[in-house]
């Protein structure tokens, strides 16, 4: 057997690569992890999940003080924004967490190689002109912003930005146009709306949040519009011109694909929209360029992703792939679980990720979360039963003045097995964990309905929605 430098080498230290590397080292493998960034943690820790949540959390406090939510509870304050401090706590959160990964690498004896990795052969990568060999190489290179032709991002100027630029704006723009009503657009659009920007969302489809349950998408649009976001659905951007400190977009009705269920707010002809800031958030694409995949004869599929089998093996022996660079939702926890599983396969164990039970959360106010099938997808597969329960009838949500949203439980009409759960609620992201656990154990709606839930909690709404699948909830 060839004498390799490492048993396994991960390219990329995002949630896929760093978690996989730590797990591999815990299992006794000689492990290395290469990343081109100065700090570990990939997109998620450096410019994604963590800094966006730091800004969402801080701006939520500002909004609660500014929009009267706190006054309603007898706390009267007039907030004053200190944006540099808000940014400083974001930078601090990122700093602490990325350093935490470096500490864990040291503790677990993972070798951290700083630099850009490219393949020499299936067991060798070059980093800064030096070759490193491994019995197995795992591509965990993640994804980057999908560019929009004609709309050139310049984060340094802060006028046309992507998600990274939108995290760091030096001043609150008076007006902001978000191109793409998906997760990033709504999260970062919410941050700047809360801090005072007039936000317009331009979305190609006739509903926000593609991939989510239809009722959730409609309710989300209603809530965001009420919060003051202007939603231009079924609308496409055809050009962008930056002049001075403003950008002017030309937009027109989209003739493209439609979900068939939402309102069209396009006016029927081309218009222009001028704003202090434009956020381009139309999706992300896998990072495969610069890896020299040609050297190992590995070609991405038509969507730019690396295809894998159930053991995360690519078509090239010795090379596996995980995370955003492979098919599936581009989510940190999905990448992490794949990191653990791939390490277990490489160590000779069995590593399982149940891809049918991957929760997704949008960290807006209220939060939006789901796991499993949408009602539309479940109904297309067979007979279903659906139970819904409004947060307005949940005692904790009502007491906290958080009446927006609902929980929906979708179950198989014959077996009663839960196929999907969707929530809009202030703490939907925390609530959805219970649904994921239940589905992982093959729960029926009856199991959830008869599970004792602490009172008063928002999670009782999941129990009541499960009761609604089979008959009637109590509090309606
Ligand atoms: P990444 O985290 O993208 O890491 C890949 C790493 O590989 C990068 O550090 C990159 O520098 C490195 N790399 C690439 N090519 C090479 C090379 N050739 N050599 C060396 N290094 C290389 N997901 C959630 O689940 N929850 C959230 O709240 C959330 N919020 C987000 C907010 C924003 C603004 C963004 C942009 C994304 C968010 N995501 C969130 C998505 C999440 O960040 C990704 O799904 C996750 O980071 C994917 O992990 P990964 O390990 O596959 O890749
Ligand atoms: P997205 O796929 O969520 O949304 C992109 C939106 O842009 C879609 O609604 C799409 O219809 C629209 N769009 C595409 N082309 C357009 C065009 N030309 N004009 C107008 N609209 C257009 O992608 P987003 O928001 O960029 O996020 C990328 C990924 O990052 C997501 O897949 C998500 O998984 C991940 N992410 C996850 C978060 C979380 O879990 N809370 C937070 C942020 C990102």
């Amino acid at each position: 057997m060839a004498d390799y430098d490492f048993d396994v080498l991960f390219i990329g230290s995002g949630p896929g690569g760093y978690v996989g590397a730590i797990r591999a080292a815990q299992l006794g493998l000689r492990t290395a992890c290469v990343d081109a960034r100065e700090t570990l943690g990939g997109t998620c820790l450096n410019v994604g999940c963590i800094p966006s949540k730091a800004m969402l959390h801080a701006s939520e406090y500002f909004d609660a003080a500014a929009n009267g939510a706190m006054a309603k509870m007898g706390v009267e304050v007039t907030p004053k924004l200190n944006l540099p401090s808000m940014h400083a706590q974001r930078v601090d959160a990122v700093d602490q967490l990325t350093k935490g990964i470096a500490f864990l690498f040291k503790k677990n004896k993972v070798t951290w190689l700083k630099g850009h990795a490219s393949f020499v052969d299936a067991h060798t990568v070059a980093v800064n002109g030096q070759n490193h060999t491994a019995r197995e190489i795992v591509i965990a290179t993640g994804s980057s912003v999908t560019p929009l032709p004609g709309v050139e991002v310049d984060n340094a100027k802060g006028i046309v930005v992507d998600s990274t630029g939108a995290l760091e704006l030096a001043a609150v723009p008076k007006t902001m146009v978000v191109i793409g009503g998906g997760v990033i657009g709504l999260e970062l659009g919410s941050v700047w709306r809360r801090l005072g920007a007039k936000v317009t969302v331009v979305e190609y489809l006739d509903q926000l949040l593609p991939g989510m349950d239809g009722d959730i998408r409609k309710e989300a649009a209603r809530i965001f519009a009420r919060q003051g976001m202007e939603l231009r659905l079924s609308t496409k951007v055809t050009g962008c011109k930056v002049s001075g400190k403003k950008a002017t977009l030309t937009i027109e009705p989209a003739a493209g694909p439609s979900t068939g269920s939402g309102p069209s707010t396009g006016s029927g002809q081309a218009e222009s929209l001028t704003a202090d800031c434009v956020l381009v958030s139309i999706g992300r694409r896998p990072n495969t360029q610069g890896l020299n995949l040609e050297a190992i004869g590995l070609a991405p599929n038509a969507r730019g992703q690396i295809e894998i089998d159930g053991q995360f093996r690519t078509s090239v022996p010795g090379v596996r792939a995980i995370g955003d660079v492979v098919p599936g939702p581009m989510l940190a926890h999905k990448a992490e679980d794949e990191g653990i599983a791939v390490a277990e396969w490489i160590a000779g164990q069995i590593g399982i990720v149940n891809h049918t039970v991957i929760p997704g959360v949008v960290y807006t106010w209220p939060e939006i979360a789901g796991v499993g099938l949408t009602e539309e997808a479940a109904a297309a597969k067979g007979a279903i039963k659906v139970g819904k329960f409004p947060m307005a009838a949940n005692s904790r949500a009502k007491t906290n003045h958080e009446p927006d949203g609902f929980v929906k439980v979708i179950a198989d009409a014959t077996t009663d097995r839960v196929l999907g759960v969707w929530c809009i609620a202030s703490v939907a992201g925390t609530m959805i964990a219970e649904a994921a656990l239940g589905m992982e154990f093959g729960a029926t709606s009856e199991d959830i309905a008869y599970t004792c839930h602490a009172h008063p909690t928002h999670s009782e709404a999941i129990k009541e929605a499960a009761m609604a699948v089979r008959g009637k909830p109590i509090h309606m």
Side-chain angles (χ1 to χ4, degrees), residues 12 14-16 35-37 42-44 47-49 52-53 115-117 140-143 284 291 323-324 330-333 363:
D35 203 295
R37 281 177 208 275
T43 303
C44 176
V47 292
C49 325
S52 61
K53 266 77 258 180
H116 183 93
T141 47
S143 62
R284 294 180 61 83
L291 276 171
D324 279 10
M330 288 180 163
L331 294 171
H333 40 282
Y363 295 86

PDB file of all heavy atoms in Angstrom, residues 12 14-16 35-37 42-44 47-49 52-53 115-117 140-143 284 291 323-324 330-333 363, ligand 1:
ATOM      1  N   GLY A  12     -11.348  22.343   2.004  1.00  0.00           N
ATOM      2  CA  GLY A  12     -12.411  23.224   2.490  1.00  0.00           C
ATOM      3  C   GLY A  12     -12.665  22.978   3.968  1.00  0.00           C
ATOM      4  O   GLY A  12     -12.768  21.827   4.404  1.00  0.00           O
ATOM      5  N   GLY A  14     -15.292  24.503   5.694  1.00  0.00           N
ATOM      6  CA  GLY A  14     -16.628  24.933   6.094  1.00  0.00           C
ATOM      7  C   GLY A  14     -17.235  23.881   7.018  1.00  0.00           C
ATOM      8  O   GLY A  14     -16.539  22.965   7.476  1.00  0.00           O
ATOM      9  N   PRO A  15     -18.532  24.004   7.294  1.00  0.00           N
ATOM     10  CA  PRO A  15     -19.170  23.042   8.201  1.00  0.00           C
ATOM     11  C   PRO A  15     -19.013  21.592   7.728  1.00  0.00           C
ATOM     12  O   PRO A  15     -18.994  20.665   8.551  1.00  0.00           O
ATOM     13  CB  PRO A  15     -20.642  23.436   8.184  1.00  0.00           C
ATOM     14  CG  PRO A  15     -20.702  24.784   7.605  1.00  0.00           C
ATOM     15  CD  PRO A  15     -19.451  25.041   6.830  1.00  0.00           C
ATOM     16  N   GLY A  16     -18.894  21.387   6.413  1.00  0.00           N
ATOM     17  CA  GLY A  16     -18.654  20.027   5.913  1.00  0.00           C
ATOM     18  C   GLY A  16     -17.244  19.579   6.238  1.00  0.00           C
ATOM     19  O   GLY A  16     -17.019  18.578   6.921  1.00  0.00           O
ATOM     20  N   ASP A  35      -7.625  25.049   3.587  1.00  0.00           N
ATOM     21  CA  ASP A  35      -8.561  26.114   3.208  1.00  0.00           C
ATOM     22  C   ASP A  35      -7.797  27.339   2.726  1.00  0.00           C
ATOM     23  O   ASP A  35      -6.744  27.688   3.261  1.00  0.00           O
ATOM     24  CB  ASP A  35      -9.488  26.500   4.364  1.00  0.00           C
ATOM     25  CG  ASP A  35     -10.773  27.137   3.846  1.00  0.00           C
ATOM     26  OD1 ASP A  35     -10.708  28.238   3.249  1.00  0.00           O
ATOM     27  OD2 ASP A  35     -11.845  26.527   4.003  1.00  0.00           O
ATOM     28  N   ALA A  36      -8.387  27.957   1.703  1.00  0.00           N
ATOM     29  CA  ALA A  36      -7.760  29.122   1.091  1.00  0.00           C
ATOM     30  C   ALA A  36      -7.921  30.369   1.957  1.00  0.00           C
ATOM     31  O   ALA A  36      -7.175  31.341   1.796  1.00  0.00           O
ATOM     32  CB  ALA A  36      -8.375  29.358  -0.285  1.00  0.00           C
ATOM     33  N   ARG A  37      -8.911  30.356   2.854  1.00  0.00           N
ATOM     34  CA  ARG A  37      -9.111  31.518   3.740  1.00  0.00           C
ATOM     35  C   ARG A  37      -8.072  31.561   4.847  1.00  0.00           C
ATOM     36  O   ARG A  37      -7.512  30.539   5.211  1.00  0.00           O
ATOM     37  CB  ARG A  37     -10.457  31.411   4.447  1.00  0.00           C
ATOM     38  CG  ARG A  37     -11.630  31.794   3.663  1.00  0.00           C
ATOM     39  CD  ARG A  37     -12.885  31.552   4.513  1.00  0.00           C
ATOM     40  NE  ARG A  37     -14.011  31.275   3.663  1.00  0.00           N
ATOM     41  CZ  ARG A  37     -14.769  32.198   3.097  1.00  0.00           C
ATOM     42  NH1 ARG A  37     -14.551  33.458   3.352  1.00  0.00           N
ATOM     43  NH2 ARG A  37     -15.757  31.865   2.293  1.00  0.00           N
ATOM     44  N   GLY A  42     -15.223  28.271   6.850  1.00  0.00           N
ATOM     45  CA  GLY A  42     -15.870  28.398   5.546  1.00  0.00           C
ATOM     46  C   GLY A  42     -16.836  29.564   5.450  1.00  0.00           C
ATOM     47  O   GLY A  42     -16.752  30.541   6.198  1.00  0.00           O
ATOM     48  N   THR A  43     -17.759  29.424   4.503  1.00  0.00           N
ATOM     49  CA  THR A  43     -18.778  30.460   4.290  1.00  0.00           C
ATOM     50  C   THR A  43     -19.584  30.664   5.563  1.00  0.00           C
ATOM     51  O   THR A  43     -19.835  31.785   5.996  1.00  0.00           O
ATOM     52  CB  THR A  43     -19.742  29.994   3.167  1.00  0.00           C
ATOM     53  OG1 THR A  43     -18.983  29.724   1.997  1.00  0.00           O
ATOM     54  CG2 THR A  43     -20.790  31.036   2.867  1.00  0.00           C
ATOM     55  N   CYS A  44     -19.991  29.567   6.152  1.00  0.00           N
ATOM     56  CA  CYS A  44     -20.925  29.610   7.280  1.00  0.00           C
ATOM     57  C   CYS A  44     -20.418  30.502   8.419  1.00  0.00           C
ATOM     58  O   CYS A  44     -21.100  31.427   8.843  1.00  0.00           O
ATOM     59  CB  CYS A  44     -21.181  28.188   7.769  1.00  0.00           C
ATOM     60  SG  CYS A  44     -22.207  28.108   9.223  1.00  0.00           S
ATOM     61  N   VAL A  47     -18.762  34.338   6.555  1.00  0.00           N
ATOM     62  CA  VAL A  47     -19.601  35.312   5.832  1.00  0.00           C
ATOM     63  C   VAL A  47     -21.036  34.826   5.642  1.00  0.00           C
ATOM     64  O   VAL A  47     -21.759  35.336   4.791  1.00  0.00           O
ATOM     65  CB  VAL A  47     -18.979  35.644   4.442  1.00  0.00           C
ATOM     66  CG1 VAL A  47     -17.679  36.414   4.582  1.00  0.00           C
ATOM     67  CG2 VAL A  47     -18.757  34.373   3.615  1.00  0.00           C
ATOM     68  N   GLY A  48     -21.447  33.823   6.391  1.00  0.00           N
ATOM     69  CA  GLY A  48     -22.777  33.238   6.171  1.00  0.00           C
ATOM     70  C   GLY A  48     -23.620  33.180   7.423  1.00  0.00           C
ATOM     71  O   GLY A  48     -23.992  34.209   7.985  1.00  0.00           O
ATOM     72  N   CYS A  49     -23.877  31.946   7.864  1.00  0.00           N
ATOM     73  CA  CYS A  49     -24.809  31.706   8.978  1.00  0.00           C
ATOM     74  C   CYS A  49     -24.531  32.608  10.171  1.00  0.00           C
ATOM     75  O   CYS A  49     -25.428  33.258  10.697  1.00  0.00           O
ATOM     76  CB  CYS A  49     -24.695  30.262   9.482  1.00  0.00           C
ATOM     77  SG  CYS A  49     -24.358  29.024   8.235  1.00  0.00           S
ATOM     78  N   SER A  52     -24.598  36.614   9.679  1.00  0.00           N
ATOM     79  CA  SER A  52     -25.970  37.046   9.352  1.00  0.00           C
ATOM     80  C   SER A  52     -26.862  36.937  10.583  1.00  0.00           C
ATOM     81  O   SER A  52     -27.685  37.814  10.847  1.00  0.00           O
ATOM     82  CB  SER A  52     -26.544  36.260   8.171  1.00  0.00           C
ATOM     83  OG  SER A  52     -26.620  34.883   8.462  1.00  0.00           O
ATOM     84  N   LYS A  53     -26.650  35.903  11.382  1.00  0.00           N
ATOM     85  CA  LYS A  53     -27.467  35.774  12.601  1.00  0.00           C
ATOM     86  C   LYS A  53     -27.085  36.826  13.633  1.00  0.00           C
ATOM     87  O   LYS A  53     -27.925  37.303  14.389  1.00  0.00           O
ATOM     88  CB  LYS A  53     -27.349  34.363  13.194  1.00  0.00           C
ATOM     89  CG  LYS A  53     -28.454  33.415  12.726  1.00  0.00           C
ATOM     90  CD  LYS A  53     -28.279  32.867  11.336  1.00  0.00           C
ATOM     91  CE  LYS A  53     -29.068  33.460  10.251  1.00  0.00           C
ATOM     92  NZ  LYS A  53     -28.819  32.864   8.928  1.00  0.00           N
ATOM     93  N   GLY A 115      -4.068  27.599   2.273  1.00  0.00           N
ATOM     94  CA  GLY A 115      -3.757  27.851   0.871  1.00  0.00           C
ATOM     95  C   GLY A 115      -4.795  27.232  -0.034  1.00  0.00           C
ATOM     96  O   GLY A 115      -5.720  26.544   0.423  1.00  0.00           O
ATOM     97  N   HIS A 116      -4.652  27.475  -1.314  1.00  0.00           N
ATOM     98  CA  HIS A 116      -5.580  26.975  -2.319  1.00  0.00           C
ATOM     99  C   HIS A 116      -5.126  25.576  -2.750  1.00  0.00           C
ATOM    100  O   HIS A 116      -3.965  25.380  -3.094  1.00  0.00           O
ATOM    101  CB  HIS A 116      -5.596  27.926  -3.516  1.00  0.00           C
ATOM    102  CG  HIS A 116      -6.562  27.538  -4.556  1.00  0.00           C
ATOM    103  ND1 HIS A 116      -7.848  28.038  -4.600  1.00  0.00           N
ATOM    104  CD2 HIS A 116      -6.461  26.656  -5.576  1.00  0.00           C
ATOM    105  CE1 HIS A 116      -8.493  27.482  -5.603  1.00  0.00           C
ATOM    106  NE2 HIS A 116      -7.666  26.645  -6.221  1.00  0.00           N
ATOM    107  N   ALA A 117      -6.036  24.613  -2.712  1.00  0.00           N
ATOM    108  CA  ALA A 117      -5.676  23.242  -3.097  1.00  0.00           C
ATOM    109  C   ALA A 117      -6.116  22.947  -4.526  1.00  0.00           C
ATOM    110  O   ALA A 117      -7.224  23.328  -4.920  1.00  0.00           O
ATOM    111  CB  ALA A 117      -6.332  22.253  -2.148  1.00  0.00           C
ATOM    112  N   ALA A 140     -14.786  19.481  -0.195  1.00  0.00           N
ATOM    113  CA  ALA A 140     -15.799  20.161   0.628  1.00  0.00           C
ATOM    114  C   ALA A 140     -15.643  21.651   0.395  1.00  0.00           C
ATOM    115  O   ALA A 140     -15.513  22.440   1.328  1.00  0.00           O
ATOM    116  CB  ALA A 140     -15.605  19.805   2.097  1.00  0.00           C
ATOM    117  N   THR A 141     -15.649  22.017  -0.897  1.00  0.00           N
ATOM    118  CA  THR A 141     -15.281  23.386  -1.276  1.00  0.00           C
ATOM    119  C   THR A 141     -16.453  24.363  -1.255  1.00  0.00           C
ATOM    120  O   THR A 141     -16.277  25.551  -1.543  1.00  0.00           O
ATOM    121  CB  THR A 141     -14.638  23.389  -2.677  1.00  0.00           C
ATOM    122  OG1 THR A 141     -15.468  22.601  -3.542  1.00  0.00           O
ATOM    123  CG2 THR A 141     -13.247  22.798  -2.655  1.00  0.00           C
ATOM    124  N   GLY A 142     -17.658  23.874  -0.953  1.00  0.00           N
ATOM    125  CA  GLY A 142     -18.784  24.772  -0.733  1.00  0.00           C
ATOM    126  C   GLY A 142     -19.301  25.451  -1.982  1.00  0.00           C
ATOM    127  O   GLY A 142     -19.240  24.900  -3.093  1.00  0.00           O
ATOM    128  N   SER A 143     -19.793  26.670  -1.802  1.00  0.00           N
ATOM    129  CA  SER A 143     -20.445  27.383  -2.907  1.00  0.00           C
ATOM    130  C   SER A 143     -20.149  28.871  -2.826  1.00  0.00           C
ATOM    131  O   SER A 143     -19.671  29.358  -1.814  1.00  0.00           O
ATOM    132  CB  SER A 143     -21.960  27.175  -2.821  1.00  0.00           C
ATOM    133  OG  SER A 143     -22.452  27.717  -1.608  1.00  0.00           O
ATOM    134  N   ARG A 284     -26.848  30.376  -4.976  1.00  0.00           N
ATOM    135  CA  ARG A 284     -25.406  30.106  -4.881  1.00  0.00           C
ATOM    136  C   ARG A 284     -25.059  28.931  -5.794  1.00  0.00           C
ATOM    137  O   ARG A 284     -25.914  28.100  -6.085  1.00  0.00           O
ATOM    138  CB  ARG A 284     -25.023  29.793  -3.416  1.00  0.00           C
ATOM    139  CG  ARG A 284     -25.212  31.017  -2.530  1.00  0.00           C
ATOM    140  CD  ARG A 284     -24.856  30.739  -1.081  1.00  0.00           C
ATOM    141  NE  ARG A 284     -23.485  30.353  -0.858  1.00  0.00           N
ATOM    142  CZ  ARG A 284     -22.458  31.205  -0.738  1.00  0.00           C
ATOM    143  NH1 ARG A 284     -22.660  32.505  -0.835  1.00  0.00           N
ATOM    144  NH2 ARG A 284     -21.236  30.769  -0.515  1.00  0.00           N
ATOM    145  N   LEU A 291      -9.985  23.715  -8.928  1.00  0.00           N
ATOM    146  CA  LEU A 291      -9.579  22.463  -8.261  1.00  0.00           C
ATOM    147  C   LEU A 291      -8.746  21.576  -9.185  1.00  0.00           C
ATOM    148  O   LEU A 291      -8.221  20.557  -8.752  1.00  0.00           O
ATOM    149  CB  LEU A 291     -10.824  21.670  -7.836  1.00  0.00           C
ATOM    150  CG  LEU A 291     -11.463  22.045  -6.501  1.00  0.00           C
ATOM    151  CD1 LEU A 291     -12.805  21.327  -6.349  1.00  0.00           C
ATOM    152  CD2 LEU A 291     -10.539  21.675  -5.345  1.00  0.00           C
ATOM    153  N   GLY A 323     -21.343  18.417   1.208  1.00  0.00           N
ATOM    154  CA  GLY A 323     -21.724  19.818   1.443  1.00  0.00           C
ATOM    155  C   GLY A 323     -22.338  20.507   0.240  1.00  0.00           C
ATOM    156  O   GLY A 323     -22.950  19.866  -0.625  1.00  0.00           O
ATOM    157  N   ASP A 324     -22.164  21.818   0.155  1.00  0.00           N
ATOM    158  CA  ASP A 324     -22.813  22.616  -0.901  1.00  0.00           C
ATOM    159  C   ASP A 324     -22.371  22.212  -2.307  1.00  0.00           C
ATOM    160  O   ASP A 324     -23.060  22.510  -3.283  1.00  0.00           O
ATOM    161  CB  ASP A 324     -22.464  24.105  -0.722  1.00  0.00           C
ATOM    162  CG  ASP A 324     -23.316  24.791   0.337  1.00  0.00           C
ATOM    163  OD1 ASP A 324     -24.044  24.090   1.072  1.00  0.00           O
ATOM    164  OD2 ASP A 324     -23.229  26.035   0.447  1.00  0.00           O
ATOM    165  N   MET A 330     -28.453  23.585   0.209  1.00  0.00           N
ATOM    166  CA  MET A 330     -27.177  24.217   0.602  1.00  0.00           C
ATOM    167  C   MET A 330     -27.332  24.729   2.020  1.00  0.00           C
ATOM    168  O   MET A 330     -27.607  25.910   2.250  1.00  0.00           O
ATOM    169  CB  MET A 330     -26.843  25.341  -0.370  1.00  0.00           C
ATOM    170  CG  MET A 330     -26.416  24.834  -1.729  1.00  0.00           C
ATOM    171  SD  MET A 330     -26.042  26.207  -2.816  1.00  0.00           S
ATOM    172  CE  MET A 330     -25.092  25.382  -4.093  1.00  0.00           C
ATOM    173  N   LEU A 331     -27.163  23.833   2.978  1.00  0.00           N
ATOM    174  CA  LEU A 331     -27.359  24.168   4.387  1.00  0.00           C
ATOM    175  C   LEU A 331     -26.197  23.662   5.213  1.00  0.00           C
ATOM    176  O   LEU A 331     -25.659  22.572   4.958  1.00  0.00           O
ATOM    177  CB  LEU A 331     -28.659  23.552   4.903  1.00  0.00           C
ATOM    178  CG  LEU A 331     -29.942  24.110   4.266  1.00  0.00           C
ATOM    179  CD1 LEU A 331     -31.157  23.310   4.677  1.00  0.00           C
ATOM    180  CD2 LEU A 331     -30.120  25.589   4.619  1.00  0.00           C
ATOM    181  N   ALA A 332     -25.844  24.442   6.240  1.00  0.00           N
ATOM    182  CA  ALA A 332     -24.679  24.116   7.051  1.00  0.00           C
ATOM    183  C   ALA A 332     -24.845  22.781   7.782  1.00  0.00           C
ATOM    184  O   ALA A 332     -23.913  21.978   7.842  1.00  0.00           O
ATOM    185  CB  ALA A 332     -24.434  25.232   8.056  1.00  0.00           C
ATOM    186  N   HIS A 333     -26.035  22.544   8.332  1.00  0.00           N
ATOM    187  CA  HIS A 333     -26.213  21.314   9.125  1.00  0.00           C
ATOM    188  C   HIS A 333     -26.223  20.077   8.239  1.00  0.00           C
ATOM    189  O   HIS A 333     -25.827  18.998   8.673  1.00  0.00           O
ATOM    190  CB  HIS A 333     -27.480  21.392   9.991  1.00  0.00           C
ATOM    191  CG  HIS A 333     -28.648  22.027   9.314  1.00  0.00           C
ATOM    192  ND1 HIS A 333     -28.759  23.383   9.175  1.00  0.00           N
ATOM    193  CD2 HIS A 333     -29.737  21.494   8.712  1.00  0.00           C
ATOM    194  CE1 HIS A 333     -29.891  23.659   8.531  1.00  0.00           C
ATOM    195  NE2 HIS A 333     -30.489  22.529   8.228  1.00  0.00           N
ATOM    196  N   TYR A 363     -34.302  32.799   9.270  1.00  0.00           N
ATOM    197  CA  TYR A 363     -34.217  33.445  10.586  1.00  0.00           C
ATOM    198  C   TYR A 363     -34.729  34.878  10.564  1.00  0.00           C
ATOM    199  O   TYR A 363     -34.077  35.799  11.036  1.00  0.00           O
ATOM    200  CB  TYR A 363     -32.774  33.379  11.098  1.00  0.00           C
ATOM    201  CG  TYR A 363     -32.336  31.947  11.342  1.00  0.00           C
ATOM    202  CD1 TYR A 363     -31.811  31.180  10.305  1.00  0.00           C
ATOM    203  CD2 TYR A 363     -32.487  31.356  12.588  1.00  0.00           C
ATOM    204  CE1 TYR A 363     -31.434  29.858  10.511  1.00  0.00           C
ATOM    205  CE2 TYR A 363     -32.108  30.029  12.798  1.00  0.00           C
ATOM    206  CZ  TYR A 363     -31.584  29.299  11.760  1.00  0.00           C
ATOM    207  OH  TYR A 363     -31.224  27.991  11.974  1.00  0.00           O
TER     208      TYR A 363
HETATM  209  P1  LIG B   1     -18.384  26.300   2.763  1.00  0.00           P
HETATM  210  O1  LIG B   1     -18.865  26.719   4.090  1.00  0.00           O
HETATM  211  O2  LIG B   1     -18.699  27.162   1.597  1.00  0.00           O
HETATM  212  O3  LIG B   1     -16.818  26.146   2.898  1.00  0.00           O
HETATM  213  C1  LIG B   1     -16.010  25.820   1.823  1.00  0.00           C
HETATM  214  C2  LIG B   1     -14.609  26.317   2.102  1.00  0.00           C
HETATM  215  O4  LIG B   1     -13.760  25.757   1.112  1.00  0.00           O
HETATM  216  C3  LIG B   1     -14.438  27.822   2.015  1.00  0.00           C
HETATM  217  O5  LIG B   1     -13.832  28.317   3.187  1.00  0.00           O
HETATM  218  C4  LIG B   1     -13.520  28.046   0.820  1.00  0.00           C
HETATM  219  O6  LIG B   1     -12.602  29.091   1.046  1.00  0.00           O
HETATM  220  C5  LIG B   1     -12.780  26.720   0.764  1.00  0.00           C
HETATM  221  N1  LIG B   1     -12.286  26.379  -0.578  1.00  0.00           N
HETATM  222  C6  LIG B   1     -12.978  26.344  -1.736  1.00  0.00           C
HETATM  223  N2  LIG B   1     -12.182  25.915  -2.738  1.00  0.00           N
HETATM  224  C7  LIG B   1     -10.968  25.681  -2.199  1.00  0.00           C
HETATM  225  C8  LIG B   1      -9.733  25.221  -2.700  1.00  0.00           C
HETATM  226  N3  LIG B   1      -9.593  24.881  -3.977  1.00  0.00           N
HETATM  227  N4  LIG B   1      -8.693  25.120  -1.844  1.00  0.00           N
HETATM  228  C9  LIG B   1      -8.810  25.450  -0.541  1.00  0.00           C
HETATM  229  N5  LIG B   1      -9.971  25.867  -0.010  1.00  0.00           N
HETATM  230  C10 LIG B   1     -11.030  25.981  -0.812  1.00  0.00           C
HETATM  231  N6  LIG B   1     -26.930  27.648   6.200  1.00  0.00           N
HETATM  232  C11 LIG B   1     -27.604  27.245   7.292  1.00  0.00           C
HETATM  233  O7  LIG B   1     -27.806  26.033   7.487  1.00  0.00           O
HETATM  234  N7  LIG B   1     -28.092  28.143   8.198  1.00  0.00           N
HETATM  235  C12 LIG B   1     -27.930  29.473   8.034  1.00  0.00           C
HETATM  236  O8  LIG B   1     -28.375  30.260   8.874  1.00  0.00           O
HETATM  237  C13 LIG B   1     -27.228  29.926   6.885  1.00  0.00           C
HETATM  238  N8  LIG B   1     -27.040  31.241   6.681  1.00  0.00           N
HETATM  239  C14 LIG B   1     -26.328  31.645   5.591  1.00  0.00           C
HETATM  240  C15 LIG B   1     -26.193  33.022   5.376  1.00  0.00           C
HETATM  241  C16 LIG B   1     -25.485  33.467   4.288  1.00  0.00           C
HETATM  242  C17 LIG B   1     -25.316  34.966   4.078  1.00  0.00           C
HETATM  243  C18 LIG B   1     -24.906  32.538   3.385  1.00  0.00           C
HETATM  244  C19 LIG B   1     -24.103  33.027   2.209  1.00  0.00           C
HETATM  245  C20 LIG B   1     -25.066  31.184   3.568  1.00  0.00           C
HETATM  246  C21 LIG B   1     -25.785  30.723   4.666  1.00  0.00           C
HETATM  247  N9  LIG B   1     -26.002  29.370   4.894  1.00  0.00           N
HETATM  248  C22 LIG B   1     -26.719  28.956   5.985  1.00  0.00           C
HETATM  249  C23 LIG B   1     -25.471  28.341   3.985  1.00  0.00           C
HETATM  250  C24 LIG B   1     -24.182  27.743   4.583  1.00  0.00           C
HETATM  251  O9  LIG B   1     -23.255  28.763   4.799  1.00  0.00           O
HETATM  252  C25 LIG B   1     -23.620  26.681   3.651  1.00  0.00           C
HETATM  253  O10 LIG B   1     -24.614  25.726   3.364  1.00  0.00           O
HETATM  254  C26 LIG B   1     -22.434  25.997   4.278  1.00  0.00           C
HETATM  255  O11 LIG B   1     -21.436  26.912   4.627  1.00  0.00           O
HETATM  256  C27 LIG B   1     -21.859  24.933   3.339  1.00  0.00           C
HETATM  257  O12 LIG B   1     -20.785  24.323   3.949  1.00  0.00           O
HETATM  258  P2  LIG B   1     -19.610  23.657   3.097  1.00  0.00           P
HETATM  259  O13 LIG B   1     -18.697  23.045   4.111  1.00  0.00           O
HETATM  260  O14 LIG B   1     -20.158  22.787   2.047  1.00  0.00           O
HETATM  261  O15 LIG B   1     -18.868  24.838   2.359  1.00  0.00           O
END
